[in-house]
Amino acid sequence: MSSTFGTLYKVSTFGESHGKAVGAIVDGCPANLELSEADIQPQLTRRRPGQSAMTTARDEADKVIILSGVENGKTLGTPIGLMVNNKDQRPGDYGEMSQVPRPSHADFTYQMKYGNRAASGGGRSSARETIGRVAAGAIAEKWLKQQFNTEIISWVSSVGDIDARDMSTESLTREQIDSNMIRCPDEAAAEQMIALVKKTAARKDSVGGILTCVVRNIPAGLGEPVFERMEASLAQAMLSIPATKGFEIGSGFSGARMFGSDHNDPFELKADGRLGTTTNFSGGVQGGISNGEPLVFRIAFKPPATIGKAQDTATFDGEATVLEARGRHDPCVVPRAIPIVETMTAITLMDFVLRQAYRQA
Amino acid sequence: MSSTFGTLYKVSTFGESHGKAVGAIVDGCPANLELSEADIQPQLTRRRPGQSAMTTARDEADKVIILSGVENGKTLGTPIGLMVNNKDQRPGDYGEMSQVPRPSHADFTYQMKYGNRAASGGGRSSARETIGRVAAGAIAEKWLKQQFNTEIISWVSSVGDIDARDMSTESLTREQIDSNMIRCPDEAAAEQMIALVKKTAARKDSVGGILTCVVRNIPAGLGEPVFERMEASLAQAMLSIPATKGFEIGSGFSGARMFGSDHNDPFELKADGRLGTTTNFSGGVQGGISNGEPLVFRIAFKPPATIGKAQDTATFDGEATVLEARGRHDPCVVPRAIPIVETMTAITLMDFVLRQAYRQA
Amino acid sequence: MSSTFGTLYKVSTFGESHGKAVGAIVDGCPANLELSEADIQPQLTRRRPGQSAMTTARDEADKVIILSGVENGKTLGTPIGLMVNNKDQRPGDYGEMSQVPRPSHADFTYQMKYGNRAASGGGRSSARETIGRVAAGAIAEKWLKQQFNTEIISWVSSVGDIDARDMSTESLTREQIDSNMIRCPDEAAAEQMIALVKKTAARKDSVGGILTCVVRNIPAGLGEPVFERMEASLAQAMLSIPATKGFEIGSGFSGARMFGSDHNDPFELKADGRLGTTTNFSGGVQGGISNGEPLVFRIAFKPPATIGKAQDTATFDGEATVLEARGRHDPCVVPRAIPIVETMTAITLMDFVLRQAYRQA
Amino acid sequence: MSSTFGTLYKVSTFGESHGKAVGAIVDGCPANLELSEADIQPQLTRRRPGQSAMTTARDEADKVIILSGVENGKTLGTPIGLMVNNKDQRPGDYGEMSQVPRPSHADFTYQMKYGNRAASGGGRSSARETIGRVAAGAIAEKWLKQQFNTEIISWVSSVGDIDARDMSTESLTREQIDSNMIRCPDEAAAEQMIALVKKTAARKDSVGGILTCVVRNIPAGLGEPVFERMEASLAQAMLSIPATKGFEIGSGFSGARMFGSDHNDPFELKADGRLGTTTNFSGGVQGGISNGEPLVFRIAFKPPATIGKAQDTATFDGEATVLEARGRHDPCVVPRAIPIVETMTAITLMDFVLRQAYRQA
């Protein structure tokens, strides 16, 4: 259940690591949008593991195929079927783990929920599931860009204890962010982060990190009181990404330490004639609705649960044991999480835009 | 739109400050649950303003009326209509503000969304809207308590820069928490928090804070991959509460600074025969599904936007002006937010429980 | 469950005969629509029993109260709470029936579903539940009229074996239809129908009937492939009305007896420049989407289950018994069903209109 | 939009005739159900064209592929991806028709809705779209059979003016029904129907028909008041099938001509100790909820719109023209519609069963 997201831009995903394919159906994309695989592939490629020394070297080509909903290079208005074939369908690979639930992984909880201990157990909580959303969100990104010149930019702002300095968000580009392996636009911090990830990998350990995301050029008026306030839906979208532990918008947790007279964002007339705010502690949202300022939010990712380092734990039957994961594993997932964050943001925003039509009699 | 939450325990709310009433419809409550207004009123009363020197003194009786769905003291299985009458229906009260959007309030964004500047503009983002959810969630709390002895306990863990010490969450009770005005079970911190709130009020300012919430006795296996992972749905539920800026579960943002070998929660056989974990950095959730450990999460609340202190800002037309809110206003909302957090948690969990049935063939 | 209908114009209803009130929440009505109780009351009054010698004489004032969502005579864009108080809240009235499930009534099935035998058992399947929808639909009717001059007109086309002649649907008005007690615009048939109903009532029996509904001035392009085709959603809406047994659109069941060369509706250029059809066997819908011609559909209502005439049946425990319903009962519900059919049609269509925005890139 | 159906057994379909593939995602199937392609293929094969002299000879192999959600022969509880490749992906085939909207086809309405005149225009209203649902419903059939021994049996009860005699529905089997080409278990009528279809085909015309469907062994208590009453959801499901014009349950339209004293179904104690009814004018449903008797309903199908016979009509631009469809076309779709009706019924019922859990406290 609950592999469907959105009201008018509705994304349903399927697939786990060991089946034939993963993918999604996008229902509700407006007709007559120019669309081909080439619009979708770049974000899938950014998401792919094996792009650097830091991430796991499994080569997954991850070529997207459009199954339906597009003809003669344009969307039909009908559901867009999206599929990426799995290369590795050997369910036997994780056989050993079937006796020992990996600590902080989904093995145990999937067993409790579904009553099975299959090799793909927990597969819907694996990173591979996100392929369908990234593909679906790449379409939303294209549409938002066409409609409003919307730009969604995410970067690595922390790895472990290393924080990037505060970045001016007005002009950051994906090219800048992709210019180093860790995808942090603060070059000095990026070097330290890369060193930390390498050191962590060498210890067969993993490390967490934080992504910041900014959305420029998004109209005021988006978001739905009460239960789908902009920040509520973004929080749901972000915490639906594997390995996330927190979400904050604008001032976030530090805003809880402030006084109202410092935190309130005063209005002023902007050069373009728009009523805007002089500060943006709100993160672009007031009363659950976008105010036309950039959206700014941050997402915390825990260190990946699968590590090569030996761990004292217990089998499903409760017997003490030591677990060492074999093979190569990502020591730090945040660089690869960037396209997932960006595309989930696009899906959330496009749904709000479509729902905003006819809001006034 | 989007005043409905939940799939099988479906809560739809209505109402703003200046209409005749606020309330909710609860659709999907199992039949034959013993229920009367007395089960619902306590959380509404805890939510009510005017309970202490610290909160605004408006006396809102907030007596709930059950309109339908209950007969002879038991639920029928049909929709439960819940209503609380508004005492103050004078839409003229906020007349002056209709020219000046309150900074960081919903006046401006509701104007952008709905094209009206009514006195109730932004009313669905006011605290009064939460009455319907608190009533609906009180029913869920009763049901969860009966089914699993589930206990949902929230408290004030920070006000401004004052933090409560880490509390043992195993035995905290609502009685303990309600024993002081600020609802912080760390008595020393509570005194400091109360002093800070009073000082803030005297300056006609406001201050933010953080709530922690723990859920004890919740079964493993709840939560729905992918888009309704336990943490995703809780994040949505929490950030749908007015004035929230952040959500984190388990280790949260500090988990992003940790190594996997420290962060992973090893399994062990518990005294009750259950496979549990020795630590709980996961916050009770792995792979989006509850693991049987207590849920632990935190919510950041910004300082209330409406303050008496003069603010430089602009009118809707962009002219510079100074705004001073009249009347009494909450300098700190976090104590009153506790029942909202608890009941929204109950709604989220009850929906997951109902959806868990028939999960296995 | 499932007291909510619609995606963007979302109607949630509550209430049964013996609670305090019945009503609805309308979520998604555009802001700034002029609205007061006076816009809603007329259809509620048409739905009311006790309007004629033919229908049960219980006097239910059924005065609607707007609880929220409207200020200064205009909608706010927020949920519109609608309530009608129940006069008769004595749950004891049906006490006797609690031992004997009324044949073809909901007593038995509600017992099987909910495990209770309350006086209000089956209350959600009673006509009184429809009050909330009629109120919600009256708002949709007003909005559609404003947007497109849409006219939704239903009338009684059969009672028992008496059929009205085929009516020209181009100019029929509600005034004409309400000009006689049975609400059949064929005066000759109307007289016979009225005589039949009176005879039936005298025998303490009941009789079924058929309603026809036409919708004029509805734009082409409405309806959502696949599962919410126009005819699928209308069928759902109509068969959600108590006592319905069938739905057909355009040629309906008789179309199943035709050849394609007779049934196909050829296109031609209409005087107003629109491409229309020369016949309308399609009933205004092709491929699940409106084509701009009038929608025409028919709904079959069974004879009311509650009759005064003695019936051989069995108790809940399976013992043979004879049941005679006491009190006054409707011998024929179709005249009162007209406003329900019209308003459910309006709800269905308004939702489609709101969803049609942004359909093209 | 609206290619998703169901609340807990959620089916989302994609695909049209000229894309790469058609299929569906099934979200919510319980884990640990034994499942392989062999469970799904038979109904797809029954749905396939080209099975007899009567239907169009296009050979579509329609081999289903399970993409996800199944491992080691059992469902995982995760979404089941289902795909059937399209053989014919030449969008140019219908080129000529792009100037002339086929009468009573979806060409015109898709153009009005989506603003495109693509070869696949209207493709989501073509029979090929139903493949995804048939595959999804075959899984539901298997589960219902395992849980309750539920049997869903549909047959052709009318073609044009030829009606099958009333069949005893207690023992009808799919084998009996498939024993002749027209799938009518009344052999005498079947011969006449087949002759009529052949004669119709020879005239390059098409003819409509009616399906009856009976569901045996379905528990009492299923169906959701108000908007998802059993008959409302079945009506939606059936009228979502291409070419349908009407739905009736139990007595249906003929029930509208009856008196209550004849129409009411008296209760009696059944041999198996169950409280049942002596007649079944209700069609197995009372108050929107199943009563344990067989469900019986009928669906009217219009004659297929695409015929080879010359038709006077107009181009999109309004110019008079004559249209003759080339190629082979189904003169009568009702035999092939049987598996669609059966599987859509299964999807509807399985969703109700899953939602019935936890209905009582």
Side-chain angles (χ1 to χ4, degrees):
Chain A
M1 268 296 299
S2 287
S3 291
T4 297
F5 187 77
T7 296
L8 291 189
Y9 189 80
K10 197 181 282 252
V11 175
S12 302
T13 73
F14 69 92
E16 44 267 311
S17 299
H18 298 295
K20 287 210 173 70
V22 294
I25 300 174
V26 176
D27 196 8
C29 184
N32 304 326
L33 175 71
E34 292 190 14
L35 189 72
S36 75
E37 280 88 349
D39 295 303
I40 301 169
Q41 193 60 48
Q43 284 286 52
L44 283 177
T45 300
R46 287 179 92 208
R47 192 213 71 89
R48 210 156 50 89
Q51 301 173 75
S52 71
M54 291 184 313
T55 59
T56 166
R58 282 175 293 176
D59 179 29
E60 306 173 72
D62 290 355
K63 289 288 173 202
V64 68
I65 303 165
I66 296 176
L67 297 172
S68 67
V70 175
E71 189 174 295
N72 299 326
K74 290 192 174 181
T75 56
L76 289 166
T78 60
I80 303 171
L82 298 162
M83 185 174 72
V84 168
N85 285 307
N86 284 335
K87 279 196 165 174
D88 179 5
Q89 301 171 23
R90 291 164 301 174
D93 276 19
Y94 291 85
E96 181 203 25
M97 292 181 195
S98 67
Q99 302 310 314
V100 187
R102 285 166 287 180
S104 293
H105 208 279
D107 297 335
F108 174 71
T109 53
Y110 268 64
Q111 164 72 23
M112 294 305 286
K113 186 170 196 72
Y114 296 113
N116 55 31
R117 212 174 290 188
S120 286
R124 287 294 281 171
S125 79
S126 86
R128 192 144 185 90
E129 173 279 328
T130 62
I131 285 179
R133 335 188 194 180
V134 171
I139 302 172
E141 284 191 332
K142 176 164 187 175
W143 187 81
L144 288 166
K145 180 84 181 170
Q146 277 194 3
Q147 293 283 315
F148 310 111
N149 194 30
T150 301
E151 295 173 321
I152 305 171
I153 310 278
S154 179
W155 66 94
V156 173
S157 46
S158 298
V159 172
D161 269 328
I162 302 165
D163 296 315
R165 62 179 164 75
D166 279 350
M167 309 299 299
S168 161
T169 60
E170 283 177 33
S171 58
L172 264 182
T173 65
R174 288 190 185 169
E175 289 66 35
Q176 276 178 273
I177 287 159
D178 284 358
S179 67
N180 60 56
M181 276 194 312
I182 200 75
R183 289 181 173 147
C184 170
D186 173 348
E187 285 295 337
E191 278 185 38
Q192 290 181 280
M193 291 171 178
I194 292 169
L196 176 60
V197 173
K198 287 184 175 164
K199 202 171 64 179
T200 304
R203 290 198 320 247
K204 297 186 178 179
D205 208 342
S206 65
V207 66
I210 297 173
L211 293 189
T212 302
C213 186
V214 62
V215 183
R216 299 188 293 247
N217 305 326
I218 189 74
L222 304 181
E224 298 289 328
V226 173
F227 296 112
E228 296 181 56
R229 294 160 67 99
M230 174 64 77
E231 58 269 48
S233 289
L234 284 175
Q236 180 194 2
M238 294 306 125
L239 288 190
S240 76
I241 300 172
T244 51
K245 299 304 286 181
F247 170 89
E248 59 181 8
I249 189 162
S251 62
F253 277 88
S254 69
R257 303 192 174 281
M258 293 173 71
F259 294 104
S261 55
D262 297 323
H263 190 274
N264 281 353
D265 296 315
F267 288 102
E268 67 171 2
L269 199 63
K270 296 285 180 182
D272 60 0
R274 182 176 66 84
L275 193 66
T277 62
T278 60
T279 53
N280 190 15
F281 291 106
S282 297
V285 178
Q286 285 158 345
I289 301 169
S290 65
N291 65 359
E293 303 297 323
L295 301 179
V296 185
F297 51 90
R298 292 168 16 110
I299 311 104
F301 288 79
K302 69 172 188 177
T306 308
I307 55 176
K309 204 170 168 180
Q311 301 176 78
D312 291 318
T313 184
T315 66
F316 271 108
D317 296 330
E319 284 178 49
T321 188
V322 174
L323 183 72
E324 294 178 46
R326 294 174 306 174
R328 301 191 65 162
H329 303 284
D330 265 343
C332 182
V333 296
V334 281
R336 285 181 59 201
I338 284 174
I340 311 174
V341 162
E342 290 169 344
T343 50
M344 282 303 301
T345 301
I347 290 170
T348 307
L349 293 177
M350 182 162 173
D351 198 49
F352 280 135
V353 172
L354 296 182
R355 291 158 81 180
Q356 180 59 11
Y358 267 114
R359 192 46 52 98
Q360 300 172 25
Chain B
M1 268 299 299
S2 288
S3 290
T4 297
F5 187 78
T7 296
L8 290 189
Y9 189 78
K10 198 183 282 253
V11 176
S12 303
T13 73
F14 69 92
E16 44 266 312
S17 299
H18 297 295
K20 287 209 172 73
V22 295
I25 299 174
V26 176
D27 196 8
C29 184
N32 304 326
L33 175 72
E34 291 191 14
L35 189 72
S36 76
E37 280 88 348
D39 294 304
I40 301 167
Q41 193 61 48
Q43 284 286 51
L44 283 176
T45 300
R46 288 179 91 209
R47 192 214 71 91
R48 208 157 51 88
Q51 299 173 78
S52 73
M54 292 185 311
T55 59
T56 166
R58 282 174 294 175
D59 179 28
E60 306 173 72
D62 290 353
K63 288 289 173 202
V64 68
I65 303 165
I66 295 176
L67 297 172
S68 68
V70 175
E71 190 175 295
N72 299 323
K74 289 192 174 180
T75 55
L76 289 167
T78 60
I80 304 172
L82 299 161
M83 185 175 72
V84 169
N85 285 307
N86 284 335
K87 280 195 164 174
D88 179 4
Q89 302 171 24
R90 291 164 300 172
D93 276 21
Y94 291 83
E96 180 204 24
M97 292 181 195
S98 67
Q99 302 310 313
V100 187
R102 285 166 287 180
S104 293
H105 208 278
D107 296 335
F108 174 71
T109 52
Y110 268 64
Q111 164 71 24
M112 294 305 286
K113 186 171 196 71
Y114 295 113
N116 55 29
R117 213 175 289 188
S120 285
R124 288 292 281 172
S125 78
S126 87
R128 192 144 184 90
E129 174 278 329
T130 62
I131 284 178
R133 337 188 193 180
V134 170
I139 301 171
E141 283 191 332
K142 176 164 188 175
W143 187 81
L144 289 166
K145 180 83 180 170
Q146 277 194 5
Q147 293 282 316
F148 309 112
N149 194 31
T150 301
E151 296 172 321
I152 304 170
I153 310 279
S154 178
W155 65 94
V156 173
S157 46
S158 299
V159 171
D161 269 328
I162 302 165
D163 296 316
R165 61 180 164 75
D166 279 350
M167 309 297 299
S168 161
T169 60
E170 283 177 32
S171 59
L172 264 182
T173 65
R174 288 191 185 168
E175 289 65 35
Q176 276 176 273
I177 287 159
D178 284 358
S179 69
N180 61 56
M181 277 194 311
I182 200 76
R183 289 180 173 148
C184 170
D186 173 347
E187 285 295 335
E191 277 185 38
Q192 290 180 279
M193 291 170 179
I194 292 170
L196 176 59
V197 173
K198 286 183 175 164
K199 203 170 63 179
T200 303
R203 289 197 318 244
K204 298 187 177 178
D205 208 341
S206 65
V207 66
I210 297 173
L211 292 188
T212 302
C213 186
V214 62
V215 182
R216 297 187 295 247
N217 305 326
I218 188 73
L222 303 181
E224 298 290 328
V226 172
F227 296 112
E228 297 181 55
R229 294 159 67 99
M230 174 65 78
E231 58 270 47
S233 290
L234 284 174
Q236 180 194 2
M238 294 307 126
L239 287 190
S240 77
I241 300 173
T244 50
K245 300 304 287 182
F247 170 89
E248 59 180 9
I249 189 160
S251 62
F253 277 89
S254 69
R257 302 190 174 282
M258 292 174 71
F259 293 104
S261 55
D262 297 323
H263 190 274
N264 280 354
D265 296 315
F267 287 101
E268 68 171 1
L269 199 63
K270 297 286 181 183
D272 58 2
R274 183 175 65 82
L275 193 66
T277 62
T278 61
T279 52
N280 191 14
F281 291 107
S282 297
V285 178
Q286 285 159 344
I289 301 169
S290 65
N291 65 359
E293 303 298 322
L295 301 178
V296 186
F297 50 90
R298 292 165 17 108
I299 310 104
F301 288 81
K302 70 172 187 177
T306 309
I307 55 175
K309 203 170 171 179
Q311 302 177 77
D312 291 317
T313 185
T315 65
F316 272 108
D317 296 330
E319 284 178 48
T321 187
V322 174
L323 183 73
E324 294 178 44
R326 293 174 309 175
R328 302 191 64 162
H329 304 284
D330 265 344
C332 181
V333 295
V334 281
R336 286 180 60 200
I338 284 173
I340 311 174
V341 161
E342 290 169 344
T343 51
M344 281 304 300
T345 301
I347 290 170
T348 306
L349 293 177
M350 182 162 173
D351 197 50
F352 280 134
V353 173
L354 296 181
R355 291 159 79 180
Q356 181 59 12
Y358 267 114
R359 193 47 51 99
Q360 300 172 25
Chain C
M1 269 298 297
S2 287
S3 291
T4 297
F5 188 77
T7 296
L8 291 189
Y9 189 79
K10 196 182 283 255
V11 175
S12 301
T13 74
F14 68 93
E16 45 266 312
S17 299
H18 298 295
K20 288 210 171 72
V22 295
I25 300 174
V26 175
D27 196 8
C29 184
N32 304 326
L33 175 72
E34 292 191 14
L35 189 72
S36 76
E37 281 87 350
D39 294 304
I40 301 168
Q41 194 60 49
Q43 284 287 52
L44 283 176
T45 300
R46 287 178 92 208
R47 192 213 72 89
R48 209 155 52 87
Q51 301 173 76
S52 72
M54 293 184 312
T55 60
T56 166
R58 282 174 294 176
D59 179 27
E60 306 174 70
D62 290 354
K63 288 288 173 202
V64 68
I65 303 165
I66 296 176
L67 297 172
S68 67
V70 175
E71 190 174 296
N72 299 325
K74 290 191 174 180
T75 55
L76 289 166
T78 60
I80 304 171
L82 298 162
M83 185 175 72
V84 169
N85 286 307
N86 284 335
K87 280 193 164 174
D88 179 4
Q89 301 170 25
R90 291 163 302 173
D93 276 20
Y94 291 85
E96 180 202 25
M97 292 182 196
S98 67
Q99 302 310 312
V100 187
R102 284 166 288 180
S104 293
H105 208 278
D107 296 335
F108 174 72
T109 53
Y110 267 64
Q111 164 72 23
M112 294 305 286
K113 184 171 196 72
Y114 296 112
N116 55 29
R117 212 174 291 189
S120 286
R124 287 293 282 171
S125 78
S126 87
R128 192 145 184 89
E129 175 279 329
T130 62
I131 284 178
R133 334 188 194 180
V134 170
I139 301 172
E141 284 191 331
K142 176 164 187 175
W143 187 81
L144 289 166
K145 180 83 181 170
Q146 276 193 6
Q147 293 282 316
F148 309 111
N149 194 31
T150 301
E151 294 172 321
I152 305 170
I153 310 279
S154 178
W155 65 94
V156 173
S157 46
S158 299
V159 172
D161 269 328
I162 302 165
D163 296 314
R165 61 178 166 78
D166 279 350
M167 309 297 300
S168 160
T169 60
E170 283 176 32
S171 59
L172 264 180
T173 66
R174 288 190 185 170
E175 290 64 36
Q176 276 176 273
I177 286 158
D178 284 358
S179 69
N180 61 55
M181 277 195 311
I182 201 73
R183 289 179 173 148
C184 170
D186 172 349
E187 284 294 336
E191 276 185 39
Q192 289 179 279
M193 290 171 179
I194 293 169
L196 175 60
V197 173
K198 286 184 174 162
K199 204 170 63 179
T200 303
R203 290 198 318 247
K204 298 187 177 178
D205 209 341
S206 65
V207 66
I210 297 172
L211 292 189
T212 302
C213 185
V214 62
V215 183
R216 297 189 294 248
N217 305 326
I218 189 74
L222 304 181
E224 298 290 327
V226 170
F227 296 111
E228 297 180 56
R229 293 159 68 98
M230 173 65 77
E231 59 269 49
S233 289
L234 284 174
Q236 181 194 1
M238 294 305 126
L239 288 190
S240 76
I241 300 173
T244 51
K245 300 304 287 181
F247 169 88
E248 59 181 8
I249 189 160
S251 62
F253 277 89
S254 69
R257 303 191 174 282
M258 293 174 70
F259 294 103
S261 55
D262 297 322
H263 190 274
N264 281 353
D265 296 316
F267 288 101
E268 67 171 3
L269 199 64
K270 296 286 180 183
D272 59 1
R274 183 175 66 82
L275 193 67
T277 62
T278 60
T279 53
N280 189 14
F281 290 107
S282 296
V285 179
Q286 286 158 344
I289 302 169
S290 65
N291 65 358
E293 303 297 321
L295 301 178
V296 186
F297 50 91
R298 291 164 20 106
I299 310 103
F301 288 81
K302 69 173 188 176
T306 309
I307 56 175
K309 204 170 170 180
Q311 302 176 79
D312 291 318
T313 184
T315 66
F316 271 108
D317 296 330
E319 285 178 47
T321 187
V322 175
L323 183 72
E324 295 177 44
R326 293 173 308 172
R328 301 192 64 161
H329 303 284
D330 265 343
C332 181
V333 295
V334 281
R336 284 181 59 200
I338 284 173
I340 311 174
V341 161
E342 290 169 343
T343 51
M344 282 303 301
T345 301
I347 290 170
T348 306
L349 293 177
M350 182 162 174
D351 198 49
F352 280 135
V353 173
L354 296 182
R355 291 159 80 180
Q356 180 59 12
Y358 267 113
R359 193 46 53 100
Q360 300 172 24
Chain D
M1 269 297 299
S2 288
S3 291
T4 298
F5 187 77
T7 296
L8 291 189
Y9 189 78
K10 197 181 282 255
V11 175
S12 302
T13 73
F14 68 92
E16 44 266 313
S17 299
H18 298 295
K20 287 210 173 72
V22 295
I25 299 174
V26 175
D27 196 8
C29 184
N32 304 326
L33 175 72
E34 292 190 14
L35 189 73
S36 75
E37 280 87 350
D39 294 304
I40 300 167
Q41 193 61 49
Q43 285 286 52
L44 282 177
T45 300
R46 288 179 91 209
R47 192 213 73 89
R48 209 155 52 86
Q51 301 173 76
S52 72
M54 292 184 312
T55 59
T56 166
R58 281 175 294 174
D59 179 27
E60 306 174 71
D62 290 354
K63 288 289 174 203
V64 68
I65 303 165
I66 296 177
L67 297 173
S68 68
V70 175
E71 189 174 296
N72 299 325
K74 289 191 175 181
T75 55
L76 290 166
T78 60
I80 304 171
L82 299 162
M83 184 175 73
V84 168
N85 286 307
N86 284 334
K87 279 194 166 175
D88 179 4
Q89 301 171 24
R90 290 164 301 174
D93 276 21
Y94 291 84
E96 180 203 24
M97 292 182 194
S98 66
Q99 302 309 314
V100 187
R102 284 167 286 180
S104 293
H105 208 278
D107 297 334
F108 174 72
T109 53
Y110 267 64
Q111 163 73 23
M112 294 305 286
K113 186 172 195 71
Y114 295 113
N116 55 29
R117 212 175 288 191
S120 285
R124 287 294 281 172
S125 79
S126 87
R128 192 144 183 90
E129 174 279 329
T130 62
I131 284 179
R133 336 187 194 181
V134 170
I139 302 172
E141 284 191 332
K142 176 163 187 176
W143 188 82
L144 289 166
K145 181 83 181 170
Q146 276 195 4
Q147 293 282 316
F148 310 111
N149 195 30
T150 302
E151 295 172 323
I152 304 170
I153 310 280
S154 179
W155 66 94
V156 173
S157 45
S158 298
V159 171
D161 268 327
I162 303 164
D163 295 314
R165 60 178 166 76
D166 279 350
M167 310 298 300
S168 160
T169 60
E170 284 178 32
S171 59
L172 264 182
T173 65
R174 288 191 185 168
E175 289 66 34
Q176 277 177 271
I177 287 159
D178 284 358
S179 69
N180 61 55
M181 276 195 312
I182 200 76
R183 290 181 174 148
C184 169
D186 173 348
E187 285 295 337
E191 277 184 39
Q192 291 180 278
M193 290 171 179
I194 292 169
L196 175 60
V197 173
K198 286 183 176 163
K199 203 171 64 180
T200 303
R203 290 199 318 248
K204 298 187 178 177
D205 208 341
S206 66
V207 66
I210 297 173
L211 292 189
T212 301
C213 185
V214 62
V215 182
R216 299 187 293 248
N217 305 325
I218 188 74
L222 303 181
E224 298 290 327
V226 172
F227 296 112
E228 297 181 55
R229 294 159 67 99
M230 174 64 79
E231 58 269 49
S233 290
L234 284 174
Q236 180 194 0
M238 294 306 126
L239 288 191
S240 76
I241 300 173
T244 52
K245 300 304 288 182
F247 169 89
E248 59 181 9
I249 189 161
S251 63
F253 277 89
S254 69
R257 303 191 174 281
M258 293 174 69
F259 294 104
S261 55
D262 298 322
H263 189 275
N264 281 353
D265 296 315
F267 288 101
E268 68 172 1
L269 200 63
K270 297 286 181 183
D272 59 1
R274 181 176 67 83
L275 194 65
T277 62
T278 60
T279 53
N280 190 14
F281 291 107
S282 297
V285 178
Q286 285 158 345
I289 301 169
S290 66
N291 65 359
E293 302 298 323
L295 301 178
V296 186
F297 50 91
R298 290 165 19 107
I299 310 104
F301 289 79
K302 69 172 188 178
T306 308
I307 55 176
K309 203 170 169 179
Q311 301 177 79
D312 291 318
T313 185
T315 67
F316 271 108
D317 296 330
E319 284 178 48
T321 188
V322 174
L323 184 73
E324 293 178 47
R326 293 173 309 174
R328 302 191 63 161
H329 303 284
D330 265 344
C332 181
V333 295
V334 282
R336 285 180 59 200
I338 284 174
I340 311 175
V341 161
E342 289 169 344
T343 51
M344 281 303 299
T345 300
I347 290 170
T348 306
L349 293 177
M350 181 162 174
D351 198 50
F352 280 136
V353 173
L354 296 182
R355 291 159 79 180
Q356 180 60 10
Y358 267 113
R359 192 46 51 100
Q360 300 172 24

